[in-house]
């Protein structure tokens, strides 16, 4: 079931039955006092919505009335997730405490993402906040487990722990004083700081709607707080991210927006859902850290900027050559030198680099025909490569 409704959610919600929705997510205007605008990727269209208010009180009243109605339609085992940022966290939290009650506050989720620096004085904003409240204490919740960190002590994973008479957590022991092993634990429960990449300008799922959220973020909320077949409502659906995430995960979805363009966009996204893959999440941070460690080793004492989100380049030098960037790629393990050149070559062309370096780390050659080399790329042999060559010559 997919319903996309056009209008002010305050006018539409009274038609909903009481206690009929399993999960609500809302991403209302954030009290930024600006018109939020953005162009589509090809620049052919601009979407916008107003986030201008006469006062703090006017904004609070606007949200209060809608949150009250949202509480009514939420089932007793349902939850609500309210997205906001530093402009409105103080207002939103107070309203939610008032409407849902302090006891129903479950979490303050920090959505953390990397941003490019801006020139403004002060700290670079790199997070937004999502308040999670349940309607009652009996709410649906699925615990997700993450891997232990590398520094976790193996005893902490294996050994059973209990509280002593002073309430302190201690290892459980048998009557002979030996520690008792527990069942292998599943990992560390998901915490309330979520690192999920912001949609980059070239992301496939990006439709150019201002403040569009990543599907991955919504999928995590849907996963922890609802089951397949549940009804999810987004009363400020914008481009329809919540509905797309819900549809991809077999939920029934309802979206409301007072912008006709947002409604049309949501409908077209639902017809053809597109989700970008996040390399950071797919390959995991470790994969990036391994590359970073190699880059650091090989470029030690050279002034460079590491590049993590480009399949062709690992770093750019802080100096330039004839006003063009100097790109660096390190030949990967199991990668032929021809394939490494091919990947770097693409980046050299798109970034208009006049001088770039490929650092050779191994001697794997391709058996197939390969592209003509680019004269802007110079190959530099790494110490590892030279040493291995000498060692194999000396039959070591
Ligand atoms: C921050 S955007 C939502 C973006 C959305 N989460 C996404 O990923 O695309 C806020 C949306 O609220 C809508 N809106 C503002 N006031 C509204 C109201 N009273 N009823 C319904 N929608 C409203 C705006 O038109 C805008 O599309």
């Amino acid at each position: 079931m997919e319903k996309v409704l056009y209008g002010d959610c305050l006018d539409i919600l009274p038609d909903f039955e009481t206690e009929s929705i399993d999960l609500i997510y809302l991403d209302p205007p954030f009290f930024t006092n600006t018109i939020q605008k953005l162009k589509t990727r090809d620049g052919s269209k601009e979407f916008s919505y107003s986030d201008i208010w006469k006062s703090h009180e006017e904004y609070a009243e606007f949200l209060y009335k809608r949150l009250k109605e949202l509480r009514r339609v939420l089932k007793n085992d349902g939850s609500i997730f309210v997205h906001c940022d530093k402009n409105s966290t103080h207002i939103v939290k107070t309203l939610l405490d008032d409407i849902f009650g302090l006891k129903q506050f479950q979490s303050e989720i920090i959505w953390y993402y990397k941003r490019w620096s801006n020139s403004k004085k002060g700290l670079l904003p790199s997070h937004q906040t999502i308040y999670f409240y349940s309607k009652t204490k009996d709410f649906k919740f699925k615990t997700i487990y993450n891997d232990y960190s590398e520094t976790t002590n193996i005893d902490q994973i294996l050994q059973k722990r209990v509280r002593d008479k002073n309430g302190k957590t201690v290892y459980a022991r048998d009557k002979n004083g030996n520690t008792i092993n527990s069942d292998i634990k599943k990992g560390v429960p998901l915490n309330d700081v979520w690192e999920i990449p912001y949609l980059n300008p070239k992301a496939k799922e990006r439709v150019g709607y201002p403040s569009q959220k990543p599907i991955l973020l919504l999928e995590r909320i849907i996963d922890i707080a609802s089951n397949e077949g549940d009804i999810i409502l987004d009363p400020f659906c914008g481009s329809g991210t919540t509905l797309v995430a819900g549809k991809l995960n077999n939920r029934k979805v309802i979206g409301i927006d007072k912008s006709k363009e947002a409604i049309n966009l949501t409908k077209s996204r639902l017809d053809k859902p597109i989700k970008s893959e996040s390399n950071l999440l797919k390959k995991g941070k470790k994969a990036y850290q391994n590359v970073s460690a190699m880059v650091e080793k090989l470029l030690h004492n050279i002034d460079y900027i590491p590049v993590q989100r480009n399949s062709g380049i690992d770093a750019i030098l802080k100096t330039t050559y004839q006003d063009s960037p100097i790109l660096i790629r390190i030949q990967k393990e199991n990668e032929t030198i021809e394939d490494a050149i091919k990947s770097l070559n693409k980046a050299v062309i798109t970034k208009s680099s006049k001088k770039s370096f490929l650092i050779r780390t191994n001697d794997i050659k391709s058996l197939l025909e390969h592209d003509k080399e680019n004269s802007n790329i110079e190959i530099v042999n790494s110490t590892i490569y030279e040493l291995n060559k000498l060692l194999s010559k000396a039959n070591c």
Side-chain angles (χ1 to χ4, degrees), residues 19 65 112-113 224 234 243-244 251 331 378-379 383:
E19 291 169 22
K65 286 184 186 156
Y112 162 73
Y113 40 81
I224 62 173
D234 184 340
L243 285 81
V244 175
R251 292 350 185 225
Q331 182 188 8
E378 285 183 35
I379 299 179
T383 327

Side-chain angles (χ1 to χ4, degrees), residues 358-376:
L358 173 63
I359 305 182
R360 192 201 302 257
T361 58
N362 64 56
D363 213 6
I364 313 174
K365 288 203 180 66
S366 169
L367 300 172
L368 304 168
E369 287 265 319
H370 58 86
D371 289 359
K372 244 177 76 198
E373 288 180 17
N374 184 323
S375 57
N376 294 352

Side-chain angles (χ1 to χ4, degrees), residues 157-169:
I157 300 172
L158 291 178
Q159 292 174 359
K160 193 171 175 178
R161 289 195 277 175
V162 287
R163 289 199 184 271
D164 70 6
K165 57 180 186 306
N166 301 318
K168 207 176 132 202
T169 311

Side-chain angles (χ1 to χ4, degrees), residues 7-10 25-30 48-50 53 62 66 207 209-214 218 234-242 256-259 262 269:
D8 183 333
C9 55
L10 189 62
Y25 165 86
L26 59 146
D27 176 24
F30 283 1
S48 69
Y49 66 86
S50 168
W53 308 88
F62 165 85
R66 287 157 182 83
V207 289
Y209 200 77
S211 195
Q212 180 187 346
K213 302 298 179 294
L218 270 303
D234 184 340
F236 294 84
C237 71
S239 66
T241 310
T242 310
I256 308 173
D257 203 287
K258 69 168 195 183
S259 147
R269 282 183 83 191

Side-chain angles (χ1 to χ4, degrees), residues 3-28 61-75 80 82 99-100 135 231-237 253-258:
K3 271 194 209 161
V4 190
L5 308 169
Y6 169 51
D8 183 333
C9 55
L10 189 62
D11 299 331
I12 293 179
L13 286 169
D15 298 337
F16 283 43
E17 271 179 38
T18 300
E19 291 169 22
S20 57
I21 304 291
D22 295 285
L23 170 65
I24 299 172
Y25 165 86
L26 59 146
D27 176 24
E61 197 188 327
F62 165 85
L63 267 190
Y64 181 83
K65 286 184 186 156
R66 287 157 182 83
L67 287 171
K68 267 278 216 210
E69 202 41 26
L70 290 170
R71 186 181 181 281
R72 181 188 67 78
V73 303
L74 193 60
K75 285 187 188 168
I80 184 166
V82 186
I99 297 167
F100 284 83
K135 185 155 172 184
I231 304 178
I232 300 175
L233 166 67
D234 184 340
F236 294 84
C237 71
V253 289
I254 306 175
I256 308 173
D257 203 287
K258 69 168 195 183

Side-chain angles (χ1 to χ4, degrees), residues 145-148 184-188:
Y145 292 92
N146 283 332
D147 290 346
Y148 288 102
I184 301 267
K185 295 179 188 118
K186 294 180 190 151
V188 192

Side-chain angles (χ1 to χ4, degrees), residues 127-238:
H127 81 276
Q128 291 177 10
T129 305
I130 303 167
Y131 287 115
F132 164 20
Y133 282 69
S134 57
K135 185 155 172 184
T136 65
K137 64 176 184 16
D138 302 313
F139 59 100
K140 288 181 192 163
F141 188 79
K142 178 175 129 194
T143 307
I144 296 178
Y145 292 92
N146 283 332
D147 290 346
Y148 288 102
S149 77
E150 296 80 354
T151 51
T152 306
N153 183 331
I154 184 75
D155 292 343
Q156 284 175 326
I157 300 172
L158 291 178
Q159 292 174 359
K160 193 171 175 178
R161 289 195 277 175
V162 287
R163 289 199 184 271
D164 70 6
K165 57 180 186 306
N166 301 318
K168 207 176 132 202
T169 311
V170 292
Y171 289 126
R173 293 185 186 274
D174 63 16
K175 58 180 184 319
N176 300 321
N178 299 321
T179 53
I180 304 171
N181 279 353
S182 64
D183 296 337
I184 301 267
K185 295 179 188 118
K186 294 180 190 151
V188 192
L190 178 70
N191 66 28
D192 54 10
V193 179
W194 297 358
E195 183 176 358
I196 294 183
Y198 209 84
L199 282 181
N200 74 59
K202 289 184 187 158
K204 275 198 222 132
E205 72 183 58
R206 193 178 189 112
V207 289
Y209 200 77
S211 195
Q212 180 187 346
K213 302 298 179 294
I215 294 176
L216 272 170
L217 176 70
L218 270 303
E219 284 191 322
R220 186 171 289 178
I221 293 174
I222 289 170
D223 190 26
I224 62 173
S226 71
N227 297 326
E228 284 202 10
D230 278 359
I231 304 178
I232 300 175
L233 166 67
D234 184 340
F236 294 84
C237 71

